[in-house]
Amino acid sequence: MGRSYFVEEAVGQYLSELSTRSKPFITGLLVGQCSPQRDYVVLAIQTPPKEEESKSNQSYYADLSNIDEEWTIAHANQVSRMLPGGFLVLGVFIVAAPELAKEIQSTLRKLVFSIEKSLARKRLWTFSEEDVSERVALHLCSTTKKILCRTYDVQDPKSSAKPADWKYQNGLSASWLSLECIINANIHIPLSSTLASHDLEKNTRNGLTRWAKQIEEAIFLINGQVKEEDADLLEGQKKSTRGNMQSPTQTLDVRVLMQLSRNTNSRSTATVQICSGSINLKGALKCKAYIHNNKPKVKDAVKALKRDIINTLSDRCEILFEDLLINETLGKKNSEREYHTLPCRVFAPIAGSSVLLCDYKFGDETTREIQERFLEMLDQAVQAEDLHPAEEINTVEINSPKELQDDVQQKRLTKEMLLLKLHQNIGVVIAVAVAISAAAFSFNYFSD
């Protein structure tokens, strides 16, 4: 028996509207949440057109081979950044004319696996056995309006398509529980004196991975209580929840105790390392996760929040380094020690829903720029008054050895590297992957 996808009715209306457009095909992403029993789809987002596509005639779209895979992957990476814990890119869809039907399934399969591979490469947390590994490929015929829903197991490269149910459900976007916490980060990452410039990204990622492991092993207090992993998340709260009809999304307050660990077998070890520099990340992170209120378990809710904590710091660092590369400010300061502010998280609601998605804002960015990114990346028009910045001050303190500063100064972004860039960020992950790994993280140093 295949998986069942319960889909917000607004998603169906969105896909139906796309099917009326005079294009042979339109691709996009499906966003939602996986659970062992069923999956939930809360958002469909069409792939933003590239500038040359917008100016081209209809013949450009007449062949599925014109789909730019790297562009689609870059969009998925950007959308993934904007999702709170518990939500992920569930798969892809295509709205297409019937004459393209023969090519569609192979195209969807390729996109599903390529997107998942790219997203997995960025994760600092480990995909567990309990995680659902099936991703959805949806085909909507623009003429007959018939839907064909299939899934692929992305952990199996030889996976074949399996049939799945696609069921619309009204009010799905209001059926969520929210978990929130603020975590104070003070991360010191030493860098070896023998470190070569091309190893900077790897060492920085290793440092964040060690911190991520501490998050994984921390104790999480939900509304001040430690709960068993297999316990019902709402145990002892059901009566008050039922009586609170004015607030469809119940928010649970979470505290994270980093000094404590559930892993009693873990031992603390000390190492001595000769270093020429280090990275310091300091600040308060506003973290949020959602879980569907259909018999939620404590372990699933905590896992969603853990991953949001890990993702939001990793994403902020990545965005900062991209910004430094784009503006060619790497290595321009004469001082060995530099300070940079990580971008602040900004939340905004999905239209007709209490679920909040997010973006990241630098201090000099305007509200209008954030609105434009929500529109381009998520195809969601957001009002200025609906943007909710988190009150955060997060910094990166930098002190680079002189020889690495000189090396960084020689690195420049080319026009080709920025080909996938949509406004501020999209596609830079793909386009400047080499540049980032070689240069971006070299900016975060303290020298002796």
Side-chain angles (χ1 to χ4, degrees):
M1 183 177 179
R3 297 190 65 78
S4 294
Y5 288 86
F6 289 81
V7 187
E8 172 60 49
E9 284 190 343
V11 172
Q13 296 169 5
Y14 180 82
L15 294 174
S16 178
E17 193 277 328
L18 291 182
S19 70
T20 63
R21 300 184 183 179
S22 57
K23 296 180 180 179
F25 67 87
I26 298 175
T27 62
L29 306 174
L30 297 168
V31 169
Q33 184 171 103
C34 293
S35 73
Q37 295 80 22
R38 58 182 69 175
D39 295 338
Y40 306 95
V41 180
V42 298
L43 197 60
I45 313 163
Q46 68 169 324
T47 306
K50 298 174 70 173
E51 185 176 355
E52 58 268 33
E53 293 176 12
S54 301
K55 296 178 180 179
S56 67
N57 56 34
Q58 288 293 320
S59 62
Y60 183 92
Y61 298 93
D63 187 350
L64 291 179
S65 64
N66 284 316
I67 292 177
D68 190 327
E69 184 178 336
E70 286 192 340
W71 183 264
T72 305
I73 292 171
H75 181 226
N77 279 312
Q78 187 71 14
V79 168
S80 181
R81 284 179 178 175
M82 303 176 81
L83 303 179
F87 290 126
L88 71 159
V89 176
L90 289 179
V92 295
F93 72 81
I94 186 167
V95 180
E99 53 266 25
L100 298 175
K102 292 183 180 179
E103 309 169 61
I104 285 176
Q105 285 306 313
S106 60
T107 300
L108 287 174
R109 186 186 192 280
K110 184 179 181 181
L111 290 176
V112 164
F113 277 87
S114 296
I115 288 172
E116 182 62 26
K117 182 178 180 181
S118 178
L119 294 176
R121 192 182 299 118
K122 290 158 52 70
R123 293 172 185 151
L124 296 182
W125 43 267
T126 304
F127 201 87
S128 70
E129 293 182 358
E130 295 181 350
D131 284 308
V132 176
S133 60
E134 290 187 66
R135 296 292 180 264
V136 63
L138 186 78
H139 169 212
L140 170 62
C141 178
S142 58
T143 300
T144 65
K145 311 303 178 185
K146 181 180 178 180
I147 284 180
L148 181 62
C149 183
R150 295 181 178 179
T151 62
Y152 295 94
D153 185 349
V154 291
Q155 294 297 302
D156 178 10
K158 298 181 180 180
S159 171
S160 57
K162 297 179 182 178
D165 292 329
W166 185 264
K167 304 176 181 179
Y168 290 111
Q169 181 176 330
N170 187 31
L172 178 65
S173 292
S175 306
W176 299 96
L177 298 169
S178 171
L179 296 94
E180 294 184 356
C181 75
I182 295 178
I183 185 165
N184 294 313
N186 188 357
I187 305 170
H188 181 76
I189 305 174
L191 298 167
S192 170
S193 59
T194 60
L195 181 69
S197 60
H198 62 270
D199 292 326
L200 296 178
E201 187 270 345
K202 179 180 178 180
N203 280 267
T204 302
R205 184 177 176 85
N206 288 343
L208 290 177
T209 301
R210 289 191 293 271
W211 173 80
K213 185 176 181 180
Q214 296 176 26
I215 296 295
E216 294 277 11
E217 297 179 350
I219 296 294
F220 282 63
L221 303 181
I222 301 176
N223 286 346
Q225 299 179 333
V226 177
K227 297 189 175 186
E228 294 296 325
E229 290 186 347
D230 290 324
D232 184 347
L233 180 64
L234 294 177
E235 186 176 4
Q237 303 179 50
K238 291 184 178 180
K239 290 183 179 180
S240 59
T241 302
R242 289 174 181 171
N244 188 7
M245 300 302 294
Q246 300 300 317
S247 179
T249 300
Q250 181 180 356
T251 299
L252 306 178
D253 180 66
V254 181
R255 292 185 61 194
V256 184
L257 305 181
M258 293 284 289
Q259 293 81 4
L260 301 178
S261 171
R262 291 185 184 272
N263 186 1
T264 56
N265 296 323
S266 62
R267 297 182 60 185
S268 176
T269 58
T271 59
V272 176
Q273 182 179 6
I274 300 175
C275 301
S276 62
S278 64
I279 303 166
N280 271 2
L281 300 171
K282 297 181 180 180
L285 307 174
K286 176 68 177 291
C287 305
K288 182 185 286 288
Y290 290 92
I291 188 165
H292 194 270
N293 63 11
N294 180 36
K295 301 179 181 179
K297 296 293 184 181
V298 169
K299 62 181 179 181
D300 296 323
V302 169
K303 180 173 67 175
L305 188 58
K306 284 179 179 178
R307 291 180 177 179
D308 187 68
I309 294 171
I310 296 168
N311 289 344
T312 189
L313 181 56
S314 175
D315 289 342
R316 291 169 206 255
C317 291
E318 189 172 51
I319 292 169
L320 172 65
F321 300 141
E322 290 172 7
D323 183 73
L324 297 176
L325 283 168
I326 291 168
N327 293 291
E328 297 186 351
T329 56
L330 284 174
K332 285 190 174 182
K333 295 186 178 181
N334 295 325
S335 172
E336 291 183 353
R337 184 172 300 236
E338 300 178 13
Y339 296 87
H340 295 274
T341 302
L342 291 174
C344 171
R345 204 172 194 182
V346 181
F347 291 98
I350 300 176
S353 171
S354 56
V355 170
L356 301 179
L357 302 188
C358 73
D359 194 15
Y360 293 93
K361 176 183 181 296
F362 286 104
D364 59 350
E365 286 188 283
T366 65
T367 298
R368 181 61 182 170
E369 289 176 287
I370 303 302
Q371 290 177 284
E372 289 175 351
R373 263 205 307 275
F374 268 98
L375 184 60
E376 189 160 23
M377 298 300 102
L378 302 177
D379 205 11
Q380 292 279 315
V382 176
Q383 301 301 316
E385 58 269 23
D386 290 332
L387 293 173
H388 306 290
E391 297 297 330
E392 308 166 45
I393 300 176
N394 308 293
T395 62
V396 178
E397 194 174 3
I398 300 163
N399 196 336
S400 313
K402 180 62 167 61
E403 61 272 16
L404 289 177
Q405 288 182 5
D406 293 340
D407 181 69
V408 168
Q409 286 177 350
Q410 298 174 7
K411 301 186 182 297
R412 291 291 182 267
L413 292 178
T414 66
K415 182 177 181 181
E416 291 74 21
M417 284 177 164
L418 295 175
L419 178 63
L420 299 178
K421 181 171 175 283
L422 289 179
H423 284 312
Q424 181 68 22
N425 294 318
I426 186 171
V428 180
V429 178
I430 300 297
V432 299
V434 176
I436 289 176
S437 62
F441 292 99
S442 66
F443 212 13
N444 297 336
Y445 279 76
F446 302 86
S447 62
D448 296 333

